[in-house]
Amino acid sequence: MKELLIATSNKGKVEDFKKLFQGMYEVKSLLDYPHIPDIIEDGQTFQDNAQKKAEVLSTALNETVVADDSGLVIDALNGRPGVFSARYAGEEKNDQANIEKVLEDLRGVAEQDRTARFVCTIALASPNKETIFFEGQCEGFISHEQVGEHGFGYDPIFYVGQTAKTMAQLTLEEKNEISHRARAIEQLKDYLLGE
Ligand SMILES: O=P(O)(O)OP(=O)(O)OP(=O)(O)OC[C@H]1O[C@@H](n2cnc3c(O)ncnc32)[C@H](O)[C@@H]1O
Ligand SMILES: [Mg+2]
């Protein structure tokens, strides 16, 4: 099977990508290349960061690279944590600390004002080609406490749309039917199949 390199060292993302590309590509990630240093994400938007992650690696390796920049956008926090989602509570990328900071920031905010969405921007970079982008979103709202054991990141505090479940209560299969990442990857797949 052909390989596809995803410029990420996030295990949760790698699982999502592997599942969604099953039977089509053998997904590789930076977890397979531990010597490659982390790329500094200093962009103002998901698109800026996805572009940088994909292009730096594509240029360095001279091959096609996909990158995913994603995060949680909370209306009551003016869009935060947004592009700062991975490091919201500090540099060390601690999912639990990030969740606690969001719940603390939203303390006292009423149900109807806890609306949020997960956003995923994917960049596809190839040598000597212009980078292209795909975006997916998933609407929901922020819970008052953590519920569910699956997934990663902010999944335990994100109620999906009108369902009574958090993203962390969904199986990987269920998450991959509705998630921001699944929606972006769906478009990426269509593009790659049409190439
Ligand atoms: O940059 P890479 O190496 O891909 O990994 P990262 O974890 O730093 O990823 P981002 O810079 O894109 O930051 C995204 C953060 O947003 C959150 N996030 C993204 N997708 C998510 C999902 O499907 N479920 C829960 N949280 C998610 C999670 O906290 C991620 O760490
Ligand atoms: Mg990152």
Side-chain angles (χ1 to χ4, degrees), residues 44 46 72-85 88 102 105-106 109 113-117 119 142:
Q44 304 285 310
F46 296 119
L72 181 61
V73 174
I74 301 176
D75 294 319
L77 302 179
N78 296 316
R80 280 184 292 131
V83 289
F84 307 109
S85 291
Y88 194 44
V102 165
D105 286 355
L106 289 180
V109 175
D113 297 324
R114 299 174 78 92
T115 50
R117 65 206 55 78
V119 178
I142 305 301

PDB file of all heavy atoms in Angstrom, residues 44 46 72-85 88 102 105-106 109 113-117 119 142:
ATOM      1  N   GLN A  44      -1.164  32.836  13.089  1.00  0.00           N
ATOM      2  CA  GLN A  44      -2.343  33.456  13.696  1.00  0.00           C
ATOM      3  C   GLN A  44      -3.602  32.622  13.445  1.00  0.00           C
ATOM      4  O   GLN A  44      -4.639  32.866  14.047  1.00  0.00           O
ATOM      5  CB  GLN A  44      -2.589  34.845  13.072  1.00  0.00           C
ATOM      6  CG  GLN A  44      -1.426  35.788  13.161  1.00  0.00           C
ATOM      7  CD  GLN A  44      -1.287  36.325  14.565  1.00  0.00           C
ATOM      8  OE1 GLN A  44      -2.258  36.789  15.144  1.00  0.00           O
ATOM      9  NE2 GLN A  44      -0.096  36.242  15.127  1.00  0.00           N
ATOM     10  N   PHE A  46      -5.356  28.575  12.012  1.00  0.00           N
ATOM     11  CA  PHE A  46      -5.121  27.148  11.807  1.00  0.00           C
ATOM     12  C   PHE A  46      -4.453  26.932  10.446  1.00  0.00           C
ATOM     13  O   PHE A  46      -3.566  26.096  10.299  1.00  0.00           O
ATOM     14  CB  PHE A  46      -6.447  26.371  11.851  1.00  0.00           C
ATOM     15  CG  PHE A  46      -7.144  26.423  13.184  1.00  0.00           C
ATOM     16  CD1 PHE A  46      -8.414  26.967  13.303  1.00  0.00           C
ATOM     17  CD2 PHE A  46      -6.542  25.921  14.328  1.00  0.00           C
ATOM     18  CE1 PHE A  46      -9.072  27.005  14.533  1.00  0.00           C
ATOM     19  CE2 PHE A  46      -7.175  25.957  15.566  1.00  0.00           C
ATOM     20  CZ  PHE A  46      -8.451  26.502  15.658  1.00  0.00           C
ATOM     21  N   LEU A  72     -10.109  23.944  19.533  1.00  0.00           N
ATOM     22  CA  LEU A  72     -11.446  24.170  20.067  1.00  0.00           C
ATOM     23  C   LEU A  72     -11.699  25.677  20.113  1.00  0.00           C
ATOM     24  O   LEU A  72     -10.917  26.422  20.721  1.00  0.00           O
ATOM     25  CB  LEU A  72     -11.516  23.567  21.478  1.00  0.00           C
ATOM     26  CG  LEU A  72     -12.830  23.673  22.221  1.00  0.00           C
ATOM     27  CD1 LEU A  72     -13.950  22.947  21.478  1.00  0.00           C
ATOM     28  CD2 LEU A  72     -12.681  23.081  23.625  1.00  0.00           C
ATOM     29  N   VAL A  73     -12.785  26.110  19.474  1.00  0.00           N
ATOM     30  CA  VAL A  73     -13.135  27.534  19.410  1.00  0.00           C
ATOM     31  C   VAL A  73     -14.380  27.747  20.269  1.00  0.00           C
ATOM     32  O   VAL A  73     -15.444  27.209  19.965  1.00  0.00           O
ATOM     33  CB  VAL A  73     -13.408  27.931  17.936  1.00  0.00           C
ATOM     34  CG1 VAL A  73     -13.924  29.359  17.850  1.00  0.00           C
ATOM     35  CG2 VAL A  73     -12.149  27.753  17.090  1.00  0.00           C
ATOM     36  N   ILE A  74     -14.238  28.518  21.347  1.00  0.00           N
ATOM     37  CA  ILE A  74     -15.355  28.707  22.294  1.00  0.00           C
ATOM     38  C   ILE A  74     -15.868  30.136  22.193  1.00  0.00           C
ATOM     39  O   ILE A  74     -15.115  31.099  22.394  1.00  0.00           O
ATOM     40  CB  ILE A  74     -14.894  28.391  23.734  1.00  0.00           C
ATOM     41  CG1 ILE A  74     -14.388  26.942  23.818  1.00  0.00           C
ATOM     42  CG2 ILE A  74     -16.036  28.626  24.721  1.00  0.00           C
ATOM     43  CD1 ILE A  74     -13.811  26.554  25.171  1.00  0.00           C
ATOM     44  N   ASP A  75     -17.168  30.277  21.878  1.00  0.00           N
ATOM     45  CA  ASP A  75     -17.732  31.604  21.632  1.00  0.00           C
ATOM     46  C   ASP A  75     -17.596  32.528  22.841  1.00  0.00           C
ATOM     47  O   ASP A  75     -17.196  33.685  22.697  1.00  0.00           O
ATOM     48  CB  ASP A  75     -19.208  31.471  21.223  1.00  0.00           C
ATOM     49  CG  ASP A  75     -19.335  30.775  19.870  1.00  0.00           C
ATOM     50  OD1 ASP A  75     -18.530  31.073  18.967  1.00  0.00           O
ATOM     51  OD2 ASP A  75     -20.217  29.918  19.724  1.00  0.00           O
ATOM     52  N   ALA A  76     -17.894  32.013  24.038  1.00  0.00           N
ATOM     53  CA  ALA A  76     -17.869  32.856  25.242  1.00  0.00           C
ATOM     54  C   ALA A  76     -16.456  33.318  25.596  1.00  0.00           C
ATOM     55  O   ALA A  76     -16.276  34.243  26.395  1.00  0.00           O
ATOM     56  CB  ALA A  76     -18.482  32.106  26.421  1.00  0.00           C
ATOM     57  N   LEU A  77     -15.446  32.681  25.004  1.00  0.00           N
ATOM     58  CA  LEU A  77     -14.040  33.072  25.252  1.00  0.00           C
ATOM     59  C   LEU A  77     -13.457  33.775  24.026  1.00  0.00           C
ATOM     60  O   LEU A  77     -12.235  33.769  23.817  1.00  0.00           O
ATOM     61  CB  LEU A  77     -13.198  31.839  25.619  1.00  0.00           C
ATOM     62  CG  LEU A  77     -13.652  31.030  26.841  1.00  0.00           C
ATOM     63  CD1 LEU A  77     -12.739  29.824  27.062  1.00  0.00           C
ATOM     64  CD2 LEU A  77     -13.686  31.908  28.097  1.00  0.00           C
ATOM     65  N   ASN A  78     -14.337  34.365  23.218  1.00  0.00           N
ATOM     66  CA  ASN A  78     -13.896  35.068  21.998  1.00  0.00           C
ATOM     67  C   ASN A  78     -13.034  34.195  21.094  1.00  0.00           C
ATOM     68  O   ASN A  78     -12.082  34.683  20.469  1.00  0.00           O
ATOM     69  CB  ASN A  78     -13.109  36.347  22.359  1.00  0.00           C
ATOM     70  CG  ASN A  78     -13.982  37.353  23.075  1.00  0.00           C
ATOM     71  OD1 ASN A  78     -15.129  37.582  22.666  1.00  0.00           O
ATOM     72  ND2 ASN A  78     -13.475  37.932  24.146  1.00  0.00           N
ATOM     73  N   GLY A  79     -13.363  32.922  21.032  1.00  0.00           N
ATOM     74  CA  GLY A  79     -12.650  32.040  20.118  1.00  0.00           C
ATOM     75  C   GLY A  79     -11.489  31.276  20.733  1.00  0.00           C
ATOM     76  O   GLY A  79     -10.912  30.395  20.102  1.00  0.00           O
ATOM     77  N   ARG A  80     -11.105  31.636  21.953  1.00  0.00           N
ATOM     78  CA  ARG A  80     -10.062  30.840  22.619  1.00  0.00           C
ATOM     79  C   ARG A  80     -10.612  29.459  23.005  1.00  0.00           C
ATOM     80  O   ARG A  80     -11.819  29.325  23.157  1.00  0.00           O
ATOM     81  CB  ARG A  80      -9.580  31.578  23.896  1.00  0.00           C
ATOM     82  CG  ARG A  80      -8.596  32.692  23.621  1.00  0.00           C
ATOM     83  CD  ARG A  80      -8.091  33.292  24.928  1.00  0.00           C
ATOM     84  NE  ARG A  80      -9.165  33.993  25.618  1.00  0.00           N
ATOM     85  CZ  ARG A  80      -9.466  33.828  26.919  1.00  0.00           C
ATOM     86  NH1 ARG A  80      -8.782  32.988  27.672  1.00  0.00           N
ATOM     87  NH2 ARG A  80     -10.454  34.500  27.458  1.00  0.00           N
ATOM     88  N   PRO A  81      -9.748  28.462  23.218  1.00  0.00           N
ATOM     89  CA  PRO A  81      -8.290  28.488  23.032  1.00  0.00           C
ATOM     90  C   PRO A  81      -7.831  28.532  21.563  1.00  0.00           C
ATOM     91  O   PRO A  81      -6.707  28.911  21.304  1.00  0.00           O
ATOM     92  CB  PRO A  81      -7.821  27.200  23.699  1.00  0.00           C
ATOM     93  CG  PRO A  81      -9.009  26.321  23.793  1.00  0.00           C
ATOM     94  CD  PRO A  81     -10.221  27.209  23.849  1.00  0.00           C
ATOM     95  N   GLY A  82      -8.670  28.190  20.595  1.00  0.00           N
ATOM     96  CA  GLY A  82      -8.333  28.373  19.177  1.00  0.00           C
ATOM     97  C   GLY A  82      -6.970  27.819  18.809  1.00  0.00           C
ATOM     98  O   GLY A  82      -6.675  26.657  19.106  1.00  0.00           O
ATOM     99  N   VAL A  83      -6.137  28.661  18.185  1.00  0.00           N
ATOM    100  CA  VAL A  83      -4.815  28.163  17.750  1.00  0.00           C
ATOM    101  C   VAL A  83      -3.899  27.831  18.934  1.00  0.00           C
ATOM    102  O   VAL A  83      -2.853  27.216  18.752  1.00  0.00           O
ATOM    103  CB  VAL A  83      -4.062  29.153  16.817  1.00  0.00           C
ATOM    104  CG1 VAL A  83      -4.714  29.221  15.455  1.00  0.00           C
ATOM    105  CG2 VAL A  83      -3.923  30.518  17.430  1.00  0.00           C
ATOM    106  N   PHE A  84      -4.311  28.214  20.141  1.00  0.00           N
ATOM    107  CA  PHE A  84      -3.498  27.903  21.325  1.00  0.00           C
ATOM    108  C   PHE A  84      -3.972  26.632  22.031  1.00  0.00           C
ATOM    109  O   PHE A  84      -3.536  26.339  23.145  1.00  0.00           O
ATOM    110  CB  PHE A  84      -3.527  29.076  22.316  1.00  0.00           C
ATOM    111  CG  PHE A  84      -3.143  30.382  21.693  1.00  0.00           C
ATOM    112  CD1 PHE A  84      -4.093  31.371  21.487  1.00  0.00           C
ATOM    113  CD2 PHE A  84      -1.847  30.604  21.269  1.00  0.00           C
ATOM    114  CE1 PHE A  84      -3.749  32.573  20.884  1.00  0.00           C
ATOM    115  CE2 PHE A  84      -1.490  31.802  20.660  1.00  0.00           C
ATOM    116  CZ  PHE A  84      -2.441  32.800  20.466  1.00  0.00           C
ATOM    117  N   SER A  85      -4.881  25.878  21.385  1.00  0.00           N
ATOM    118  CA  SER A  85      -5.528  24.740  22.054  1.00  0.00           C
ATOM    119  C   SER A  85      -4.544  23.756  22.683  1.00  0.00           C
ATOM    120  O   SER A  85      -4.753  23.289  23.801  1.00  0.00           O
ATOM    121  CB  SER A  85      -6.432  23.994  21.072  1.00  0.00           C
ATOM    122  OG  SER A  85      -7.547  24.794  20.740  1.00  0.00           O
ATOM    123  N   TYR A  88      -2.841  25.528  25.886  1.00  0.00           N
ATOM    124  CA  TYR A  88      -3.651  26.555  26.557  1.00  0.00           C
ATOM    125  C   TYR A  88      -3.232  26.771  28.005  1.00  0.00           C
ATOM    126  O   TYR A  88      -3.175  27.900  28.492  1.00  0.00           O
ATOM    127  CB  TYR A  88      -5.134  26.155  26.481  1.00  0.00           C
ATOM    128  CG  TYR A  88      -6.084  27.264  26.819  1.00  0.00           C
ATOM    129  CD1 TYR A  88      -5.893  28.554  26.313  1.00  0.00           C
ATOM    130  CD2 TYR A  88      -7.187  27.042  27.638  1.00  0.00           C
ATOM    131  CE1 TYR A  88      -6.774  29.581  26.613  1.00  0.00           C
ATOM    132  CE2 TYR A  88      -8.076  28.064  27.934  1.00  0.00           C
ATOM    133  CZ  TYR A  88      -7.863  29.323  27.425  1.00  0.00           C
ATOM    134  OH  TYR A  88      -8.743  30.329  27.726  1.00  0.00           O
ATOM    135  N   VAL A 102     -10.160  25.481  30.745  1.00  0.00           N
ATOM    136  CA  VAL A 102     -11.392  25.844  30.023  1.00  0.00           C
ATOM    137  C   VAL A 102     -12.586  25.836  30.976  1.00  0.00           C
ATOM    138  O   VAL A 102     -13.394  26.781  31.004  1.00  0.00           O
ATOM    139  CB  VAL A 102     -11.638  24.892  28.830  1.00  0.00           C
ATOM    140  CG1 VAL A 102     -13.070  25.022  28.328  1.00  0.00           C
ATOM    141  CG2 VAL A 102     -10.664  25.181  27.701  1.00  0.00           C
ATOM    142  N   ASP A 105     -12.372  28.859  33.134  1.00  0.00           N
ATOM    143  CA  ASP A 105     -12.701  30.077  32.370  1.00  0.00           C
ATOM    144  C   ASP A 105     -14.213  30.221  32.188  1.00  0.00           C
ATOM    145  O   ASP A 105     -14.728  31.335  32.085  1.00  0.00           O
ATOM    146  CB  ASP A 105     -12.084  30.024  30.965  1.00  0.00           C
ATOM    147  CG  ASP A 105     -10.581  30.252  30.970  1.00  0.00           C
ATOM    148  OD1 ASP A 105     -10.024  30.549  32.039  1.00  0.00           O
ATOM    149  OD2 ASP A 105      -9.970  30.123  29.884  1.00  0.00           O
ATOM    150  N   LEU A 106     -14.912  29.077  32.091  1.00  0.00           N
ATOM    151  CA  LEU A 106     -16.357  29.118  31.796  1.00  0.00           C
ATOM    152  C   LEU A 106     -17.212  28.981  33.059  1.00  0.00           C
ATOM    153  O   LEU A 106     -18.431  28.853  32.968  1.00  0.00           O
ATOM    154  CB  LEU A 106     -16.729  27.990  30.816  1.00  0.00           C
ATOM    155  CG  LEU A 106     -16.241  28.152  29.377  1.00  0.00           C
ATOM    156  CD1 LEU A 106     -16.680  26.970  28.535  1.00  0.00           C
ATOM    157  CD2 LEU A 106     -16.752  29.451  28.761  1.00  0.00           C
ATOM    158  N   VAL A 109     -20.797  30.486  33.421  1.00  0.00           N
ATOM    159  CA  VAL A 109     -21.384  30.778  32.103  1.00  0.00           C
ATOM    160  C   VAL A 109     -22.558  29.825  31.875  1.00  0.00           C
ATOM    161  O   VAL A 109     -22.424  28.605  32.025  1.00  0.00           O
ATOM    162  CB  VAL A 109     -20.335  30.629  30.979  1.00  0.00           C
ATOM    163  CG1 VAL A 109     -20.989  30.809  29.608  1.00  0.00           C
ATOM    164  CG2 VAL A 109     -19.199  31.628  31.172  1.00  0.00           C
ATOM    165  N   ASP A 113     -24.891  29.771  26.574  1.00  0.00           N
ATOM    166  CA  ASP A 113     -23.729  30.565  26.153  1.00  0.00           C
ATOM    167  C   ASP A 113     -22.447  29.740  26.092  1.00  0.00           C
ATOM    168  O   ASP A 113     -21.358  30.283  25.948  1.00  0.00           O
ATOM    169  CB  ASP A 113     -23.523  31.739  27.123  1.00  0.00           C
ATOM    170  CG  ASP A 113     -24.698  32.689  27.101  1.00  0.00           C
ATOM    171  OD1 ASP A 113     -25.280  32.883  26.015  1.00  0.00           O
ATOM    172  OD2 ASP A 113     -25.046  33.220  28.178  1.00  0.00           O
ATOM    173  N   ARG A 114     -22.579  28.411  26.177  1.00  0.00           N
ATOM    174  CA  ARG A 114     -21.387  27.553  26.184  1.00  0.00           C
ATOM    175  C   ARG A 114     -21.126  26.922  24.812  1.00  0.00           C
ATOM    176  O   ARG A 114     -20.466  25.896  24.695  1.00  0.00           O
ATOM    177  CB  ARG A 114     -21.509  26.464  27.270  1.00  0.00           C
ATOM    178  CG  ARG A 114     -21.642  27.069  28.670  1.00  0.00           C
ATOM    179  CD  ARG A 114     -21.911  26.002  29.716  1.00  0.00           C
ATOM    180  NE  ARG A 114     -20.717  25.261  30.084  1.00  0.00           N
ATOM    181  CZ  ARG A 114     -19.900  25.559  31.093  1.00  0.00           C
ATOM    182  NH1 ARG A 114     -20.143  26.616  31.854  1.00  0.00           N
ATOM    183  NH2 ARG A 114     -18.846  24.810  31.348  1.00  0.00           N
ATOM    184  N   THR A 115     -21.619  27.554  23.768  1.00  0.00           N
ATOM    185  CA  THR A 115     -21.459  27.017  22.413  1.00  0.00           C
ATOM    186  C   THR A 115     -19.997  27.048  21.970  1.00  0.00           C
ATOM    187  O   THR A 115     -19.232  27.945  22.339  1.00  0.00           O
ATOM    188  CB  THR A 115     -22.301  27.819  21.406  1.00  0.00           C
ATOM    189  OG1 THR A 115     -22.030  29.200  21.609  1.00  0.00           O
ATOM    190  CG2 THR A 115     -23.783  27.547  21.591  1.00  0.00           C
ATOM    191  N   ALA A 116     -19.630  26.051  21.167  1.00  0.00           N
ATOM    192  CA  ALA A 116     -18.229  25.903  20.731  1.00  0.00           C
ATOM    193  C   ALA A 116     -18.182  25.053  19.477  1.00  0.00           C
ATOM    194  O   ALA A 116     -19.191  24.446  19.101  1.00  0.00           O
ATOM    195  CB  ALA A 116     -17.417  25.236  21.836  1.00  0.00           C
ATOM    196  N   ARG A 117     -17.027  25.039  18.844  1.00  0.00           N
ATOM    197  CA  ARG A 117     -16.847  24.111  17.731  1.00  0.00           C
ATOM    198  C   ARG A 117     -15.393  23.650  17.667  1.00  0.00           C
ATOM    199  O   ARG A 117     -14.478  24.408  18.031  1.00  0.00           O
ATOM    200  CB  ARG A 117     -17.270  24.718  16.382  1.00  0.00           C
ATOM    201  CG  ARG A 117     -16.453  25.890  15.886  1.00  0.00           C
ATOM    202  CD  ARG A 117     -17.270  26.771  14.964  1.00  0.00           C
ATOM    203  NE  ARG A 117     -18.506  27.202  15.607  1.00  0.00           N
ATOM    204  CZ  ARG A 117     -18.597  28.177  16.516  1.00  0.00           C
ATOM    205  NH1 ARG A 117     -17.517  28.838  16.886  1.00  0.00           N
ATOM    206  NH2 ARG A 117     -19.740  28.486  17.071  1.00  0.00           N
ATOM    207  N   VAL A 119     -12.463  22.768  15.130  1.00  0.00           N
ATOM    208  CA  VAL A 119     -12.098  23.123  13.757  1.00  0.00           C
ATOM    209  C   VAL A 119     -10.828  22.362  13.386  1.00  0.00           C
ATOM    210  O   VAL A 119      -9.923  22.226  14.214  1.00  0.00           O
ATOM    211  CB  VAL A 119     -11.842  24.646  13.630  1.00  0.00           C
ATOM    212  CG1 VAL A 119     -11.408  25.011  12.219  1.00  0.00           C
ATOM    213  CG2 VAL A 119     -13.076  25.445  14.036  1.00  0.00           C
ATOM    214  N   ILE A 142     -19.809  23.212  25.533  1.00  0.00           N
ATOM    215  CA  ILE A 142     -18.877  22.768  26.574  1.00  0.00           C
ATOM    216  C   ILE A 142     -19.650  22.345  27.824  1.00  0.00           C
ATOM    217  O   ILE A 142     -20.517  23.081  28.304  1.00  0.00           O
ATOM    218  CB  ILE A 142     -17.876  23.898  26.931  1.00  0.00           C
ATOM    219  CG1 ILE A 142     -17.148  24.397  25.673  1.00  0.00           C
ATOM    220  CG2 ILE A 142     -16.866  23.419  27.987  1.00  0.00           C
ATOM    221  CD1 ILE A 142     -16.352  23.345  24.928  1.00  0.00           C
TER     222      ILE A 142
END
